[in-house]
Coordinates of all heavy atoms in Angstrom, one line a residue:
H81 N 11.7 -2.3 3.0 CA 13.0 -2.4 3.6 C 14.0 -3.0 2.7 O 13.7 -3.7 1.8 CB 12.9 -3.1 4.9 CG 14.1 -2.9 5.9 ND1 14.3 -1.7 6.4 CD2 15.0 -3.7 6.3 CE1 15.4 -1.8 7.2 NE2 15.8 -3.0 7.1
F82 N 15.3 -2.7 2.9 CA 16.3 -3.2 2.0 C 17.5 -3.8 2.8 O 17.6 -3.6 4.0 CB 16.9 -2.0 1.1 CG 17.7 -1.1 1.9 CD1 19.1 -1.1 1.7 CD2 17.1 -0.1 2.7 CE1 19.9 -0.2 2.4 CE2 17.9 0.8 3.4 CZ 19.3 0.8 3.3
N83 N 18.3 -4.5 2.0 CA 19.4 -5.2 2.7 C 20.7 -4.4 2.5 O 21.3 -4.4 1.4 CB 19.6 -6.6 2.0 CG 20.6 -7.5 2.7 OD1 21.6 -6.9 3.2 ND2 20.4 -8.8 2.7
K84 N 21.1 -3.7 3.5 CA 22.2 -2.8 3.4 C 23.5 -3.5 3.2 O 24.4 -3.1 2.4 CB 22.3 -2.0 4.7 CG 23.3 -0.8 4.7 CD 23.2 0.0 6.0 CE 24.1 1.2 5.9 NZ 23.9 2.1 7.0
E85 N 23.7 -4.7 3.8 CA 24.9 -5.5 3.6 C 25.1 -5.9 2.2 O 26.2 -6.0 1.6 CB 24.9 -6.7 4.6 CG 25.0 -6.3 6.0 CD 26.2 -5.5 6.3 OE1 27.3 -5.8 5.8 OE2 26.1 -4.4 7.0
F86 N 24.0 -6.3 1.5 CA 24.0 -6.7 0.1 C 24.5 -5.5 -0.8 O 25.4 -5.7 -1.6 CB 22.6 -7.1 -0.4 CG 22.6 -7.5 -1.8 CD1 23.1 -8.6 -2.3 CD2 22.0 -6.6 -2.7 CE1 23.1 -9.0 -3.6 CE2 21.9 -6.9 -4.1 CZ 22.5 -8.1 -4.5
L87 N 24.1 -4.3 -0.5 CA 24.5 -3.1 -1.3 C 26.0 -2.9 -1.0 O 26.8 -2.5 -1.9 CB 23.7 -1.9 -0.9 CG 22.3 -1.9 -1.4 CD1 21.5 -0.7 -0.9 CD2 22.2 -2.0 -2.9
K88 N 26.5 -3.1 0.2 CA 27.9 -2.9 0.6 C 28.7 -3.9 -0.2 O 29.8 -3.6 -0.8 CB 28.1 -3.1 2.0 CG 27.7 -1.9 2.9 CD 28.0 -2.2 4.4 CE 27.6 -1.0 5.2 NZ 27.9 -1.2 6.6
K89 N 28.3 -5.1 -0.3 CA 29.0 -6.2 -1.1 C 29.1 -5.8 -2.6 O 30.0 -6.2 -3.3 CB 28.3 -7.5 -1.0 CG 28.5 -8.2 0.4 CD 27.8 -9.5 0.5 CE 28.0 -10.1 1.9 NZ 27.2 -11.3 2.1
L90 N 28.1 -5.0 -3.1 CA 28.1 -4.6 -4.5 C 29.0 -3.4 -4.7 O 29.2 -2.9 -5.8 CB 26.7 -4.3 -4.9 CG 25.8 -5.5 -5.1 CD1 24.4 -5.0 -5.4 CD2 26.3 -6.5 -6.1
G91 N 29.7 -2.9 -3.6 CA 30.6 -1.8 -3.7 C 30.0 -0.4 -3.4 O 30.7 0.6 -3.6
F92 N 28.8 -0.3 -2.9 CA 28.3 1.0 -2.5 C 28.8 1.4 -1.2 O 28.8 0.6 -0.2 CB 26.8 0.9 -2.5 CG 26.2 0.8 -3.9 CD1 25.8 -0.5 -4.4 CD2 25.9 1.9 -4.7 CE1 25.3 -0.6 -5.6 CE2 25.4 1.8 -5.9 CZ 25.0 0.5 -6.4
S93 N 29.3 2.6 -1.1 CA 29.9 3.1 0.2 C 29.0 4.0 0.9 O 29.0 4.0 2.1 CB 31.3 3.8 -0.1 OG 31.1 4.8 -1.0
Y94 N 28.2 4.7 0.2 CA 27.2 5.6 0.9 C 25.8 5.0 0.6 O 25.4 4.8 -0.5 CB 27.3 7.0 0.3 CG 26.2 7.9 0.9 CD1 26.5 8.6 2.1 CD2 25.0 8.1 0.3 CE1 25.5 9.4 2.7 CE2 24.0 8.9 0.9 CZ 24.3 9.5 2.0 OH 23.3 10.3 2.6
I95 N 25.2 4.7 1.7 CA 23.8 4.1 1.7 C 23.0 4.8 2.7 O 23.3 4.8 3.9 CB 23.9 2.6 1.9 CG1 24.8 1.9 1.0 CG2 22.5 2.0 1.9 CD1 25.2 0.5 1.4
A96 N 21.8 5.3 2.3 CA 20.9 6.0 3.2 C 19.5 5.6 2.8 O 19.2 5.5 1.6 CB 21.1 7.5 3.2
E97 N 18.6 5.6 3.8 CA 17.2 5.3 3.6 C 16.4 6.4 4.3 O 16.7 6.8 5.4 CB 16.8 3.9 4.2 CG 15.4 3.6 4.0 CD 15.0 2.3 4.7 OE1 15.6 1.9 5.6 OE2 14.0 1.7 4.2
K98 N 15.4 6.8 3.6 CA 14.5 7.8 4.1 C 13.1 7.3 4.0 O 12.7 6.8 2.9 CB 14.6 9.2 3.4 CG 13.7 10.2 3.9 CD 14.1 10.7 5.3 CE 13.2 11.9 5.7 NZ 13.3 12.2 7.1
S99 N 12.3 7.3 5.0 CA 10.9 6.8 5.0 C 9.9 8.0 5.3 O 10.3 8.8 6.1 CB 10.7 5.7 6.0 OG 11.5 4.6 5.6
F100 N 8.8 7.9 4.7 CA 7.7 8.9 4.9 C 6.4 8.2 5.2 O 6.1 7.2 4.5 CB 7.5 9.7 3.7 CG 8.8 10.4 3.2 CD1 9.6 9.7 2.3 CD2 9.1 11.6 3.6 CE1 10.8 10.3 1.8 CE2 10.3 12.3 3.1 CZ 11.1 11.6 2.2
D101 N 5.7 8.6 6.2 CA 4.4 8.1 6.5 C 3.4 9.0 5.7 O 3.5 10.2 5.8 CB 4.1 8.1 8.0 CG 4.9 7.2 8.8 OD1 5.2 6.1 8.3 OD2 5.4 7.5 9.9
V102 N 2.5 8.3 4.9 CA 1.5 9.1 4.2 C 0.2 8.4 4.3 O 0.0 7.2 4.6 CB 1.9 9.1 2.7 CG1 3.2 9.9 2.4 CG2 2.0 7.8 2.1
D103 N -0.8 9.3 4.2 CA -2.2 8.8 4.2 C -2.8 9.1 2.8 O -2.9 10.2 2.4 CB -3.1 9.5 5.2 CG -2.8 9.1 6.6 OD1 -2.5 7.9 6.8 OD2 -3.0 9.9 7.6
E104 N -3.0 8.0 2.1 CA -3.7 8.1 0.8 C -5.2 8.3 1.0 O -5.7 7.6 1.8 CB -3.4 6.9 -0.1 CG -1.9 6.7 -0.4 CD -1.6 5.4 -1.2 OE1 -2.5 4.5 -1.2 OE2 -0.5 5.3 -1.7
K105 N -5.8 9.2 0.2 CA -7.2 9.4 0.4 C -8.0 8.9 -0.8 O -7.6 9.2 -2.0 CB -7.5 10.9 0.5 CG -6.9 11.5 1.8 CD -7.2 13.0 1.8 CE -6.6 13.6 3.1 NZ -6.8 15.0 3.1
Y106 N -9.0 8.2 -0.6 CA -9.9 7.6 -1.7 C -11.3 7.8 -1.4 O -11.8 7.8 -0.2 CB -9.7 6.1 -1.8 CG -8.3 5.7 -2.1 CD1 -7.4 5.3 -1.1 CD2 -7.8 5.7 -3.4 CE1 -6.1 4.9 -1.4 CE2 -6.5 5.3 -3.8 CZ -5.7 4.9 -2.8 OH -4.4 4.6 -3.1
T107 N -12.1 8.1 -2.4 CA -13.5 8.0 -2.3 C -13.9 6.5 -2.1 O -13.1 5.7 -2.3 CB -14.3 8.5 -3.5 OG1 -14.0 7.7 -4.6 CG2 -13.8 10.0 -3.9
V108 N -15.1 6.3 -1.7 CA -15.6 4.9 -1.5 C -15.4 4.1 -2.8 O -14.9 3.0 -2.8 CB -17.0 4.8 -0.9 CG1 -17.5 3.4 -0.9 CG2 -17.1 5.4 0.5
E109 N -15.9 4.7 -3.9 CA -15.8 4.0 -5.2 C -14.3 3.8 -5.6 O -14.0 2.7 -6.1 CB -16.5 4.8 -6.3 CG -18.0 4.8 -6.1 CD -18.6 3.4 -6.1 OE1 -18.2 2.5 -6.9 OE2 -19.4 3.1 -5.2
E110 N -13.4 4.7 -5.3 CA -12.0 4.5 -5.6 C -11.4 3.4 -4.8 O -10.6 2.6 -5.2 CB -11.2 5.8 -5.4 CG -11.5 6.9 -6.4 CD -10.9 8.2 -6.1 OE1 -10.7 8.5 -4.9 OE2 -10.8 9.1 -7.0
A111 N -11.8 3.4 -3.5 CA -11.3 2.3 -2.6 C -11.8 0.9 -3.1 O -11.0 0.0 -3.0 CB -11.8 2.6 -1.2
L112 N -13.0 0.9 -3.6 CA -13.5 -0.4 -4.1 C -12.7 -0.8 -5.4 O -12.4 -2.0 -5.5 CB -15.0 -0.4 -4.4 CG -15.9 -0.2 -3.1 CD1 -17.3 0.0 -3.5 CD2 -15.7 -1.5 -2.2
I113 N -12.4 0.1 -6.2 CA -11.6 -0.2 -7.4 C -10.2 -0.7 -7.0 O -9.7 -1.6 -7.5 CB -11.5 1.1 -8.3 CG1 -12.9 1.3 -9.0 CG2 -10.5 0.9 -9.4 CD1 -13.0 2.7 -9.7
L114 N -9.6 0.0 -6.0 CA -8.3 -0.4 -5.5 C -8.4 -1.8 -4.9 O -7.5 -2.7 -5.2 CB -7.8 0.5 -4.4 CG -6.5 0.2 -3.7 CD1 -5.4 0.1 -4.7 CD2 -6.2 1.1 -2.6
L115 N -9.4 -2.1 -4.2 CA -9.6 -3.5 -3.6 C -9.6 -4.5 -4.7 O -8.9 -5.5 -4.6 CB -10.9 -3.5 -2.8 CG -11.3 -4.9 -2.3 CD1 -10.4 -5.4 -1.3 CD2 -12.8 -4.8 -1.8
K116 N -10.3 -4.2 -5.8 CA -10.4 -5.2 -6.9 C -9.1 -5.3 -7.7 O -9.0 -6.3 -8.4 CB -11.6 -4.8 -7.8 CG -13.0 -5.0 -7.1 CD -14.1 -4.8 -8.1 CE -14.3 -3.4 -8.6 NZ -15.4 -3.2 -9.4
S117 N -8.2 -4.4 -7.5 CA -7.0 -4.4 -8.2 C -5.9 -5.2 -7.5 O -4.9 -5.6 -8.0 CB -6.4 -3.0 -8.5 OG -5.9 -2.4 -7.4
L118 N -6.1 -5.5 -6.2 CA -5.2 -6.2 -5.4 C -5.2 -7.7 -5.8 O -6.2 -8.3 -6.0 CB -5.5 -6.1 -3.9 CG -5.5 -4.6 -3.4 CD1 -5.9 -4.6 -1.9 CD2 -4.1 -4.0 -3.5
S119 N -4.0 -8.3 -5.7 CA -3.9 -9.8 -6.1 C -4.8 -10.6 -5.1 O -5.3 -11.7 -5.5 CB -2.5 -10.2 -6.1 OG -1.9 -10.1 -4.8
L120 N -5.0 -10.2 -3.9 CA -5.8 -10.9 -3.0 C -7.2 -11.1 -3.5 O -7.9 -12.1 -3.2 CB -5.8 -10.2 -1.6 CG -6.6 -10.7 -0.5 CD1 -6.0 -12.1 -0.1 CD2 -6.6 -9.8 0.7
W121 N -7.7 -10.1 -4.3 CA -9.1 -10.2 -4.8 C -9.3 -11.5 -5.6 O -10.4 -12.0 -5.7 CB -9.4 -8.9 -5.6 CG -10.8 -8.8 -6.1 CD1 -11.2 -8.9 -7.4 CD2 -12.0 -8.7 -5.3 NE1 -12.6 -8.8 -7.4 CE2 -13.1 -8.7 -6.2 CE3 -12.2 -8.6 -3.9 CZ2 -14.4 -8.5 -5.7 CZ3 -13.5 -8.4 -3.5 CH2 -14.6 -8.4 -4.4
S122 N -8.2 -11.9 -6.3 CA -8.4 -13.1 -7.2 C -8.6 -14.4 -6.4 O -9.0 -15.4 -6.9 CB -7.1 -13.3 -8.1 OG -6.0 -13.6 -7.3
L123 N -8.3 -14.3 -5.1 CA -8.5 -15.5 -4.2 C -10.0 -15.6 -3.7 O -10.4 -16.6 -3.1 CB -7.6 -15.4 -3.0 CG -6.1 -15.4 -3.4 CD1 -5.2 -15.3 -2.1 CD2 -5.7 -16.7 -4.2
V124 N -10.7 -14.5 -3.9 CA -12.1 -14.5 -3.4 C -13.0 -15.3 -4.5 O -12.9 -15.0 -5.7 CB -12.7 -13.1 -3.3 CG1 -14.2 -13.1 -2.9 CG2 -11.9 -12.3 -2.3
D125 N -13.7 -16.2 -4.0 CA -14.6 -17.0 -4.9 C -15.5 -16.1 -5.7 O -16.1 -15.2 -5.1 CB -15.4 -18.0 -4.1 CG -16.2 -19.0 -5.0 OD1 -15.6 -20.0 -5.3 OD2 -17.3 -18.7 -5.3
E126 N -15.7 -16.3 -7.0 CA -16.5 -15.5 -7.9 C -17.9 -15.3 -7.4 O -18.5 -14.2 -7.4 CB -16.5 -16.0 -9.3 CG -15.2 -15.9 -10.1 CD -14.8 -14.4 -10.3 OE1 -15.7 -13.6 -10.6 OE2 -13.6 -14.2 -10.3
S127 N -18.5 -16.3 -6.8 CA -19.8 -16.3 -6.3 C -20.0 -15.4 -5.1 O -21.0 -14.9 -4.8 CB -20.4 -17.7 -6.0 OG -19.6 -18.2 -4.9
R128 N -18.8 -15.1 -4.4 CA -18.8 -14.3 -3.2 C -18.5 -12.8 -3.4 O -18.6 -12.0 -2.5 CB -17.9 -14.9 -2.1 CG -18.2 -16.3 -1.7 CD -18.6 -16.5 -0.2 NE -18.7 -15.3 0.6 CZ -18.1 -15.0 1.7 NH1 -17.1 -15.8 2.1 NH2 -18.3 -13.9 2.4
K129 N -17.9 -12.5 -4.6 CA -17.5 -11.2 -4.9 C -18.5 -10.1 -4.7 O -18.3 -9.1 -4.1 CB -16.8 -11.1 -6.2 CG -15.4 -11.8 -6.2 CD -14.7 -11.6 -7.5 CE -13.3 -12.3 -7.4 NZ -12.5 -12.2 -8.6
P130 N -19.7 -10.3 -5.2 CA -20.8 -9.2 -5.1 C -21.1 -9.0 -3.6 O -21.2 -7.8 -3.2 CB -22.0 -9.8 -5.8 CG -21.4 -10.7 -6.8 CD -20.2 -11.4 -6.1
E131 N -21.2 -10.0 -2.8 CA -21.4 -9.9 -1.4 C -20.3 -9.2 -0.7 O -20.5 -8.3 0.2 CB -21.6 -11.3 -0.8 CG -21.8 -11.3 0.7 CD -21.9 -12.7 1.3 OE1 -21.9 -13.7 0.6 OE2 -21.8 -12.8 2.6
M132 N -19.1 -9.6 -1.0 CA -17.9 -8.9 -0.5 C -17.8 -7.5 -0.8 O -17.5 -6.6 0.1 CB -16.6 -9.7 -1.0 CG -15.3 -9.1 -0.5 SD -15.0 -9.4 1.3 CE -14.6 -11.1 1.3
L133 N -18.1 -7.1 -2.0 CA -18.1 -5.7 -2.4 C -19.1 -4.9 -1.6 O -18.9 -3.8 -1.2 CB -18.4 -5.5 -3.9 CG -17.2 -5.8 -4.8 CD1 -17.6 -5.8 -6.3 CD2 -16.0 -4.9 -4.6
K134 N -20.3 -5.5 -1.4 CA -21.4 -4.8 -0.6 C -20.9 -4.6 0.8 O -21.0 -3.5 1.4 CB -22.6 -5.6 -0.7 CG -23.8 -5.1 0.1 CD -25.0 -6.0 0.0 CE -26.2 -5.4 0.8 NZ -26.2 -5.7 2.2
E135 N -20.3 -5.6 1.4 CA -19.8 -5.5 2.8 C -18.7 -4.5 2.9 O -18.6 -3.7 3.9 CB -19.3 -6.9 3.3 CG -20.5 -7.9 3.5 CD -20.0 -9.2 4.0 OE1 -18.9 -9.4 4.4 OE2 -20.8 -10.2 3.9
M136 N -17.8 -4.5 1.9 CA -16.7 -3.6 2.0 C -17.1 -2.1 1.8 O -16.6 -1.2 2.4 CB -15.6 -3.9 0.9 CG -14.8 -5.2 1.3 SD -14.1 -5.2 3.0 CE -13.0 -3.8 2.8
K137 N -18.1 -2.0 0.9 CA -18.7 -0.6 0.7 C -19.3 -0.1 2.0 O -19.1 1.0 2.4 CB -19.7 -0.6 -0.4 CG -20.3 0.7 -0.7 CD -21.3 0.7 -1.9 CE -21.7 2.1 -2.1 NZ -22.7 2.2 -3.3
E138 N -20.1 -1.0 2.7 CA -20.7 -0.6 4.0 C -19.6 -0.3 5.0 O -19.7 0.7 5.8 CB -21.6 -1.7 4.5 CG -22.8 -1.9 3.6 CD -23.6 -3.1 4.0 OE1 -23.2 -3.9 4.9 OE2 -24.7 -3.3 3.4
F139 N -18.5 -1.1 5.0 CA -17.4 -0.9 6.0 C -16.7 0.5 5.7 O -16.5 1.3 6.6 CB -16.4 -2.0 5.9 CG -15.2 -1.8 6.7 CD1 -15.1 -2.1 8.0 CD2 -14.0 -1.2 6.1 CE1 -14.0 -1.8 8.8 CE2 -12.9 -1.0 6.9 CZ -12.9 -1.3 8.2
Y140 N -16.4 0.7 4.4 CA -15.7 2.0 4.1 C -16.6 3.2 4.4 O -16.1 4.2 5.0 CB -15.4 2.0 2.6 CG -14.3 1.1 2.1 CD1 -14.3 0.6 0.8 CD2 -13.2 0.8 2.9 CE1 -13.3 -0.2 0.4 CE2 -12.2 0.0 2.5 CZ -12.2 -0.5 1.2 OH -11.2 -1.4 0.8
E141 N -17.9 3.1 4.1 CA -18.8 4.2 4.4 C -18.9 4.5 5.9 O -19.1 5.6 6.3 CB -20.2 3.9 3.8 CG -20.2 4.0 2.3 CD -21.5 3.6 1.6 OE1 -22.3 2.9 2.3 OE2 -21.7 4.0 0.5
S142 N -18.8 3.5 6.7 CA -18.9 3.7 8.1 C -17.6 4.1 8.8 O -17.5 4.4 10.0 CB -19.4 2.4 8.8 OG -18.4 1.4 8.7
H143 N -16.5 4.1 8.0 CA -15.2 4.5 8.5 C -14.6 5.7 7.8 O -13.3 5.8 7.8 CB -14.2 3.3 8.5 CG -14.6 2.3 9.5 ND1 -15.5 1.3 9.2 CD2 -14.1 2.0 10.7 CE1 -15.6 0.5 10.3 NE2 -14.8 0.9 11.2
L144 N -15.4 6.5 7.2 CA -14.8 7.7 6.5 C -14.2 8.7 7.4 O -14.7 8.9 8.5 CB -16.0 8.4 5.7 CG -16.6 7.5 4.5 CD1 -17.7 8.3 3.9 CD2 -15.5 7.2 3.5
V145 N -13.2 9.3 6.9 CA -12.5 10.4 7.7 C -12.6 11.6 6.8 O -12.0 11.7 5.7 CB -11.0 10.1 8.0 CG1 -10.4 11.3 8.7 CG2 -11.0 8.8 8.9
N146 N -13.4 12.6 7.2 CA -13.6 13.8 6.4 C -14.0 13.4 4.9 O -13.6 14.1 4.0 CB -12.4 14.7 6.3 CG -12.0 15.3 7.7 OD1 -12.9 15.6 8.5 ND2 -10.8 15.3 8.0
G147 N -14.9 12.4 4.8 CA -15.4 12.0 3.5 C -14.6 11.1 2.7 O -14.9 10.8 1.6
F148 N -13.5 10.6 3.3 CA -12.5 9.8 2.5 C -12.2 8.5 3.3 O -12.2 8.4 4.5 CB -11.2 10.5 2.2 CG -11.3 11.6 1.3 CD1 -11.5 12.9 1.7 CD2 -11.3 11.4 -0.1 CE1 -11.6 14.0 0.8 CE2 -11.5 12.5 -1.0 CZ -11.6 13.8 -0.5
V149 N -11.9 7.5 2.5 CA -11.3 6.2 3.0 C -9.8 6.5 3.1 O -9.2 6.9 2.1 CB -11.6 5.0 2.1 CG1 -10.9 3.8 2.6 CG2 -13.1 4.8 1.9
L150 N -9.2 6.3 4.2 CA -7.7 6.5 4.4 C -7.0 5.2 4.3 O -7.4 4.2 4.9 CB -7.4 7.2 5.7 CG -7.9 8.6 5.9 CD1 -7.4 9.2 7.2 CD2 -7.6 9.6 4.7
R151 N -5.9 5.3 3.6 CA -4.9 4.1 3.5 C -3.6 4.6 4.0 O -2.9 5.3 3.3 CB -4.9 3.6 2.1 CG -4.0 2.4 1.9 CD -4.0 2.0 0.4 NE -3.3 0.7 0.2 CZ -2.8 0.3 -0.9 NH1 -2.8 1.1 -1.9 NH2 -2.2 -0.9 -1.0
S152 N -3.2 4.2 5.2 CA -1.9 4.7 5.7 C -0.8 3.8 5.2 O -0.9 2.6 5.2 CB -1.9 4.6 7.3 OG -2.9 5.5 7.8
R153 N 0.2 4.5 4.7 CA 1.4 3.7 4.1 C 2.7 4.3 4.5 O 2.7 5.5 4.9 CB 1.3 3.8 2.6 CG -0.1 3.6 2.0 CD -0.3 2.5 1.1 NE 0.8 1.7 0.6 CZ 1.1 1.5 -0.7 NH1 0.3 2.0 -1.6 NH2 2.1 0.8 -1.1
K154 N 3.7 3.5 4.4 CA 5.1 4.0 4.6 C 5.8 3.9 3.3 O 5.9 2.8 2.7 CB 5.8 3.2 5.7 CG 7.2 3.7 6.0 CD 7.9 2.9 7.0 CE 7.3 3.3 8.4 NZ 8.1 4.1 9.2
I155 N 6.3 5.0 2.8 CA 7.0 5.0 1.6 C 8.5 5.2 1.9 O 8.9 6.1 2.7 CB 6.6 6.2 0.7 CG1 5.1 6.3 0.5 CG2 7.3 6.2 -0.6 CD1 4.5 5.1 -0.3
S156 N 9.3 4.3 1.4 CA 10.7 4.3 1.6 C 11.5 4.5 0.3 O 11.1 4.0 -0.7 CB 11.2 3.0 2.3 OG 10.6 2.9 3.6
T157 N 12.6 5.2 0.5 CA 13.5 5.4 -0.7 C 14.9 5.2 -0.2 O 15.3 5.4 0.9 CB 13.4 6.8 -1.3 OG1 14.2 6.9 -2.5 CG2 13.7 7.9 -0.3
V158 N 15.7 4.6 -1.1 CA 17.1 4.3 -0.8 C 18.0 5.1 -1.7 O 17.8 5.1 -3.0 CB 17.4 2.8 -0.9 CG1 18.9 2.6 -0.7 CG2 16.6 2.0 0.1
V159 N 19.0 5.8 -1.2 CA 20.0 6.4 -2.0 C 21.4 5.7 -1.7 O 21.7 5.5 -0.6 CB 20.2 7.9 -1.6 CG1 21.3 8.6 -2.4 CG2 18.9 8.7 -1.8
A160 N 22.0 5.3 -2.8 CA 23.3 4.7 -2.6 C 24.2 5.0 -3.8 O 23.8 5.2 -4.9 CB 23.1 3.2 -2.6
Y161 N 25.5 5.2 -3.5 CA 26.5 5.5 -4.6 C 27.8 4.9 -4.2 O 28.2 4.7 -3.1 CB 26.5 7.0 -5.0 CG 26.9 7.9 -3.9 CD1 28.3 8.2 -3.6 CD2 26.0 8.7 -3.2 CE1 28.7 9.0 -2.6 CE2 26.4 9.5 -2.2 CZ 27.7 9.7 -1.9 OH 28.1 10.6 -1.0
K162 N 28.6 4.8 -5.3 CA 30.0 4.3 -5.2 C 30.9 5.4 -5.3 O 30.7 6.4 -6.0 CB 30.3 3.2 -6.3 CG 29.4 2.0 -6.2 CD 29.7 1.1 -7.3 CE 28.8 -0.2 -7.3 NZ 29.1 -1.1 -8.4
R163 N 32.0 5.4 -4.5 CA 33.0 6.5 -4.6 C 34.0 6.2 -5.6 O 34.4 5.1 -5.9 CB 33.6 6.7 -3.2 CG 32.6 7.2 -2.2 CD 33.2 7.5 -0.9 NE 32.2 7.7 0.1 CZ 32.0 8.8 0.7 NH1 32.9 9.8 0.6 NH2 31.1 9.0 1.6

């Protein structure tokens, strides 16, 4: 989300936002790679990471949709210009 008032103060007169709901599809292995790339992963104690990966793999495998792990996201874009 963005601050429309802030953009107005900068002199933008036309401001529009468009959002799209998307489902990203991952294999179980891709989902685990994504998990390890998140900053939250660095907060997991090193000694617990193997156990956590095993649990997450089991979770993903039990929640597949047509063979994929789905990650629902909202993608937003802002268009603004000055006249």
Side-chain angles (χ1 to χ4, degrees):
H81 196 68
F82 72 103
N83 186 328
K84 191 172 187 176
E85 292 305 313
F86 177 73
L87 291 176
K88 285 182 180 179
K89 287 179 184 176
L90 293 175
F92 289 95
S93 57
Y94 177 84
I95 304 165
E97 178 182 28
K98 180 69 178 170
S99 297
F100 305 89
D101 293 321
V102 297
D103 286 329
E104 297 174 344
K105 296 179 181 180
Y106 297 97
T107 65
V108 171
E109 289 306 314
E110 290 170 338
L112 292 171
I113 290 169
L114 175 63
L115 173 68
K116 292 189 290 185
S117 75
L118 300 175
S119 60
L120 180 63
W121 185 247
S122 67
L123 300 176
V124 177
D125 188 87
E126 287 297 322
S127 66
R128 298 243 10 237
K129 285 183 179 181
E131 177 188 350
M132 179 70 74
L133 284 175
K134 180 178 180 277
E135 289 178 17
M136 289 306 299
K137 182 176 182 180
E138 291 170 359
F139 174 83
Y140 289 150
E141 289 174 340
S142 68
H143 289 83
L144 295 177
V145 177
N146 295 322
F148 291 96
V149 176
L150 295 185
R151 182 182 189 204
S152 298
R153 314 244 347 235
K154 181 178 288 255
I155 307 295
S156 297
T157 184
V158 175
V159 176
Y161 60 84
K162 297 178 182 180
R163 293 183 192 240

